[in-house]
Amino acid sequence: DLAVTVITTFLWLVSTSAWAKALADIKISTGASIIPQIESCKAPGTTCHFASVTSMGTLNVSVVFGLLNMVLWGGNIWFVYKDTNLHN
């Protein structure tokens, strides 16, 4: 049980970190900084402006909940450890 709990905690850390990095990349690739990179916006006489992007608040919340879940599993390591023969 202890090994499974430690592995699960580590996997939550890794997966939440990967999701947070992917979310940061999504925000960068859909932000106003992409306007100069669009070929049709470089044409003479063309004006491009950045209007808006859909709110990503719920995606930020998913990262926070992933981290909180990892903390919860990390806290459970202590209780599982206390039930093993390793703790005297």
Side-chain angles (χ1 to χ4, degrees):
D1 285 344
L2 181 62
V4 170
T5 306
V6 169
I7 290 169
T8 304
T9 303
F10 178 73
L11 290 176
W12 268 108
L13 174 65
V14 170
S15 62
T16 302
S17 299
W19 172 235
K21 172 66 173 125
L23 181 58
D25 290 345
I26 289 170
K27 288 179 179 180
I28 290 170
S29 64
T30 59
S33 62
I34 65 167
I35 296 294
Q37 300 170 1
I38 300 173
E39 289 298 322
S40 59
C41 290
K42 294 178 183 178
T46 304
T47 304
C48 295
H49 58 86
F50 186 77
S52 68
V53 171
T54 303
S55 174
M56 295 191 190
T58 54
L59 297 177
N60 293 333
V61 171
S62 70
V63 172
V64 170
F65 276 122
L67 289 171
L68 288 175
N69 200 6
M70 189 268 311
V71 169
L72 180 69
W73 277 94
N76 285 337
I77 291 173
W78 172 250
F79 294 109
V80 174
Y81 170 72
K82 295 233 349 165
D83 286 339
T84 64
N85 292 334
L86 300 172
H87 183 262
N88 292 326

